[in-house]
Amino acid sequence: MENQKRRIHCGVCHVPLQDNDAVFMDELNTVTHQSCYSLETNLPIKDLGTYKQIITNNHFFNELLY
């Protein structure tokens, strides 16, 4: 069986995030597609970029890189 890369799912739509997806990470480190994010229902934004940038720049996601 081929080794699949582990993925985080969007906090709103629950679709697995892809490397080039534009995402926000909120204060609780929940990662959400930018198109799914709603200011009325979500926490303030802590970081933004592509999924790949977010998991690369935040040490607590290191296990997802390998």
Side-chain angles (χ1 to χ4, degrees), residues 37-43:
Y37 188 87
S38 168
L39 289 174
E40 294 82 29
T41 59
N42 290 308
L43 297 169

Side-chain angles (χ1 to χ4, degrees), residues 7-61:
R7 297 252 175 222
I8 295 175
H9 292 66
C10 174
V12 175
C13 72
H14 308 291
V15 171
L17 297 168
Q18 301 302 312
D19 287 347
N20 293 323
D21 287 352
V23 297
F24 291 131
M25 184 171 67
D26 67 27
E27 287 183 333
L28 296 178
N29 301 328
T30 302
V31 182
T32 305
H33 289 115
Q34 288 183 13
S35 60
C36 293
Y37 188 87
S38 168
L39 289 174
E40 294 82 29
T41 59
N42 290 308
L43 297 169
I45 297 168
K46 177 177 162 182
D47 199 1
L48 64 114
T50 65
Y51 170 74
K52 180 74 171 185
Q53 290 169 329
I54 296 293
I55 64 168
T56 301
N57 293 336
N58 293 280
H59 67 87
F60 46 84
F61 291 131

